[in-house]
């Protein structure tokens, strides 16, 4: 029997208009454009402004674009997985809100939370529904309104994160293209270094937690950096070796955009030159679940059928992983 694979057949993205530049941040916290640029590679990030707007609103934009490009309507979607750490509400799932807003009346959906690796976990999960033959059209949307959980008085975190969202459509193919291999990992002991202290069932919201600023991202940057730099490179090399890929075989590394130094180290370990690395951290910062699909969206017109891509991420949890994709179409 021919093997069914899940192929990405359309991509969409959305970033809000407002640009929070390093220069503006200089007026908000004790930092400098020079420090931020040299330590992270970030110049500006986008912020979603406007009362009542959340992650779902960015997701709707990205998915509607994806559907338009593919020439299909929302009622053809079978499953929608929303990868986010900033859901519109604690419940119901943001995926349910999105399916309602876009009119995906035949889809079921759920949220998937794996911090910065969420989109890769989502593609891994979604591709299994396709490979099993159960579904024909699966949307994986990854995005975050990180500005909703960032303390703009904390210079260690506010310089890093931004808002944005990207989405891919997975469809079955019998060709030897699509999602070829996935390696996902996690180590929950890493939660100590990157988390949000309150708002969950252990410590629900109270006046005390708000006064103590416990509803914001808490990160021990250096510790996370050390784990990220080793694990993201290791898992990227592991997926290359497992699939007999040499550096020359790789068209693009599509890395999570947390810190340019982590990306550079990963590319170096893989033997991949800068010209083969998708990099938008300078413009968008770290959009958590949005980084990788936003890269695919922006680079789509450079991709050709058969191109080998390695997607890699590391994030809170700790979670990390790598996906090998053989691109399934020439962009028009
Ligand atoms: O996406 C999820 C996973 N997250 C990551 O992968 C993030 C990993 N970590 C990082 O990217 C980096 O650790 C950061 C960008 C967060 C920080 O960079 P760093 O090179 O590790 O800086 P550091 O925390 O070691 O701080 C170095 C110095 C400190 O001053 P002293 O103690 O040497 O005097 C900090 O107080 O830089 C200071 N500093 C700043 N200075 C200016 C920290 N933040 C800032 C800032 N502006 N924004």
């Amino acid at each position: 029997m021919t093997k069914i694979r899940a192929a990405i057949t359309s991509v969409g993205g959305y970033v809000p208009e407002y640009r929070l530049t390093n220069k503006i941040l200089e007026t908000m916290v004790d930092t400098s454009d020079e420090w931020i640029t040299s330590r992270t590679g970030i110049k500006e990030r986008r912020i979603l402004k406007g009362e009542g707007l959340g992650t779902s609103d960015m997701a709707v934009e990205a998915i509607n674009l994806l559907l338009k490009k593919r020439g299909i309507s929302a009622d053809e979607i079978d499953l929608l997985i929303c990868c986010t750490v900033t859901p519109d509400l604690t419940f119901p799932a943001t995926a349910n809100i999105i399916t309602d807003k876009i009119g995906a009346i035949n889809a079921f959906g759920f949220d998937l939370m794996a911090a910065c690796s969420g989109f890769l976990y989502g593609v891994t999960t979604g591709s299994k529904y396709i490979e099993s033959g159960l579904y024909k059209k699966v949307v994986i949307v990854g995005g975050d309104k990180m500005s909703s959980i960032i303390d703009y008085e904390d210079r260690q975190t506010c310089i890093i994160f931004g808002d944005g969202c990207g989405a891919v459509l997975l469809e079955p193919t019998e060709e030897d293209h699509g999602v070829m291999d996935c390696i996902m990992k996690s180590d929950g002991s890493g939660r100590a270094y990157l988390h949000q202290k309150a708002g969950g069932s252990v410590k629900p919201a109270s006046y005390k937690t708000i006064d103590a600023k416990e509803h914001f991202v808490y990160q021990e940057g250096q510790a996370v950096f050390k784990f990220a730099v080793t694990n993201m490179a290791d898992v990227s090399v592991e997926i290359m070796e497992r699939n007999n890929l040499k550096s020359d075989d790789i068209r693009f590394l599509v890395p999570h955009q947390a810190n340019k130094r982590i990306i550079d180290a990963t590319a170096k370990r893989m033997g991949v030159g800068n010209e083969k690395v998708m990099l938008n951290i300078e413009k968008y910062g770290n959009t958590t679940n949005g980084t990788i699909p936003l890269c695919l969206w922006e680079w789509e017109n450079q991709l050709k059928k058969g191109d080998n891509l390695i997607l890699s991420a590391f994030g809170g949890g700790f979670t990390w992983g790598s996906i090998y994709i053989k691109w399934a179409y020439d962009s028009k």
Side-chain angles (χ1 to χ4, degrees):
M1 219 174 75
T2 325
K3 183 173 168 49
I4 299 172
R5 289 193 193 278
I8 294 177
T9 54
S10 188
V11 188
Y14 175 80
V15 287
E17 268 175 41
Y18 180 79
R19 292 158 197 257
L20 177 59
T21 63
N22 289 353
K23 283 283 165 208
I24 299 173
L25 280 170
E26 282 179 358
T27 68
M28 297 164 64
V29 288
D30 181 14
T31 192
S32 65
D33 176 38
E34 197 283 325
W35 192 96
I36 302 171
T37 308
S38 62
R39 297 292 179 118
T40 69
I42 303 168
K43 281 284 186 191
E44 58 183 45
R45 54 303 279 141
R46 302 297 181 95
I47 304 294
L48 183 64
K49 301 264 188 186
E51 192 83 11
L53 295 179
T55 298
S56 72
D57 297 288
M58 296 188 289
V60 165
E61 298 286 341
I63 297 166
N64 280 337
L65 175 62
L66 165 157
L67 295 174
K68 194 171 164 217
K69 284 163 72 179
R70 184 74 182 108
I72 59 170
S73 58
D75 59 8
E76 294 179 59
I77 301 171
D78 300 308
L79 164 64
L80 188 145
I81 303 177
C82 175
C83 313
T84 188
V85 295
T86 50
D88 282 16
L89 304 167
T90 304
F91 76 91
T94 302
N96 299 143
I97 299 170
I98 297 167
T99 49
D100 178 50
K101 285 184 176 175
I102 62 173
I105 49 169
N106 296 311
F108 91 100
F110 56 86
D111 287 2
L112 190 157
M113 214 284 272
C116 295
S117 311
F119 180 75
L120 296 192
Y121 277 46
V123 170
T124 303
T125 307
S127 65
K128 301 301 162 201
Y129 281 92
I130 298 277
E131 287 166 17
S132 70
L134 198 57
Y135 294 125
K136 301 274 183 272
K137 289 186 171 50
V138 175
V139 170
I140 314 296
V141 59
D144 277 290
K145 183 183 170 185
M146 291 306 291
S147 59
S148 65
I149 53 167
I150 292 299
D151 175 6
Y152 286 93
E153 292 180 344
D154 175 13
R155 70 175 182 173
Q156 300 200 39
T157 50
C158 75
I159 55 128
I160 300 170
F161 294 97
D163 303 340
C165 198
V168 298
L169 177 66
L170 297 177
E171 293 186 81
T173 177
E174 290 186 2
E175 289 187 64
D176 202 24
H177 290 98
V179 177
M180 307 297 284
D181 194 14
C182 310
I183 303 176
M184 296 299 121
K185 311 214 181 202
S186 66
D187 174 1
S189 66
R191 69 190 182 280
Y193 307 106
L194 181 52
H195 58 263
Q196 182 179 313
K197 294 193 182 301
S201 57
V202 169
K203 214 185 224 194
S206 68
Y207 290 113
K208 221 169 135 189
T209 62
I210 291 169
D211 287 346
K213 296 186 158 198
E214 290 180 342
H215 295 269
F216 294 124
V217 170
Y218 169 84
Q219 175 169 254
E220 294 177 28
Q222 261 190 25
V224 179
F225 187 94
K226 277 184 202 146
F227 283 101
V229 93
T230 313
N231 287 310
M232 203 163 118
D234 281 354
V235 76
S236 308
V237 169
E238 187 182 341
I239 205 158
M240 282 173 72
E241 288 175 356
R242 198 155 98 168
N243 291 279
N244 298 315
L245 292 168
K246 304 276 169 275
S247 41
D248 282 348
D249 300 324
I250 291 164
R251 179 70 188 96
F252 279 110
L253 164 65
V254 195
H256 170 53
Q257 315 274 313
N259 187 315
K260 185 167 181 302
R261 289 182 289 144
I262 298 172
I263 296 171
D264 289 346
T266 302
K268 198 170 168 201
R269 277 276 307 284
M270 294 167 71
V272 164
N274 290 341
E275 72 289 353
K276 290 184 175 182
V277 180
M278 293 189 191
L279 200 70
N280 62 13
I281 192 169
E282 189 178 321
K283 296 191 292 185
Y284 306 142
N286 182 349
T287 54
T288 304
N289 285 276
T291 59
I292 290 177
L294 280 172
C295 280
L296 293 174
W297 171 55
E298 288 203 303
W299 266 262
E300 185 194 20
N301 59 8
Q302 293 184 44
L303 296 174
K304 296 262 172 298
K305 189 171 181 178
D307 280 350
N308 291 319
L309 309 183
I310 301 290
L311 283 47
S312 293
F314 183 90
F318 292 135
T319 56
W320 66 105
S322 205
I323 295 183
Y324 164 34
I325 287 177
K326 199 179 264 294
W327 198 249
Y329 61 99
D330 293 323
S331 71
K332 292 170 195 90

